[in-house]
Amino acid sequence: MIRRFVFQWFTGGRKRPSGRDWARKLGISHAWLQKLVRKFQADPHEMWRLQATRGNPRFGDLRRARERSRQMWKWGELREDSHLCRRARLARLLEH
């Protein structure tokens, strides 16, 4: 979802917020935004296909994706910190 928003920003024309502002609104680092832009410059075909099939991303979609990520992290399905993931998996086992 973040990649789609960055691509929308990147292809948005002249009237767009700065990269730092856009990264802040998305909750990502400016460095990550720049890394994604470099990937789009090298090979934009995948993103154009996503754009054609799914249309413009919406902030409601981003909220739902973030909530799903929080749930996945809570259940130990994401690897952010291996110690926390083990604890989350243990808590999940004890709940069931």
Side-chain angles (χ1 to χ4, degrees), residues 55-71:
N56 289 331
R58 295 179 297 267
F59 276 103
D61 298 334
L62 180 61
R63 279 192 297 274
R64 283 189 293 279
R66 283 182 175 158
E67 179 57 33
R68 176 67 179 129
S69 293
R70 275 192 287 275
Q71 290 172 352

Side-chain angles (χ1 to χ4, degrees), residues 21-82:
D21 281 342
W22 195 242
R24 196 175 304 116
K25 288 177 184 175
L26 293 174
I28 63 172
S29 70
H30 182 247
W32 190 25
L33 181 133
Q34 290 177 321
K35 182 178 180 178
L36 290 173
V37 167
R38 284 190 298 273
K39 285 183 180 183
F40 301 152
Q41 289 171 330
D43 183 20
H45 300 296
E46 176 190 358
M47 294 310 298
W48 281 119
R49 280 192 299 273
L50 274 173
Q51 179 69 17
T53 58
R54 296 186 183 176
N56 289 331
R58 295 179 297 267
F59 276 103
D61 298 334
L62 180 61
R63 279 192 297 274
R64 283 189 293 279
R66 283 182 175 158
E67 179 57 33
R68 176 67 179 129
S69 293
R70 275 192 287 275
Q71 290 172 352
M72 291 173 71
W73 184 84
K74 178 182 174 184
W75 293 106
E77 296 171 353
L78 294 180
R79 289 180 34 191
E80 198 160 312
D81 180 358
S82 62

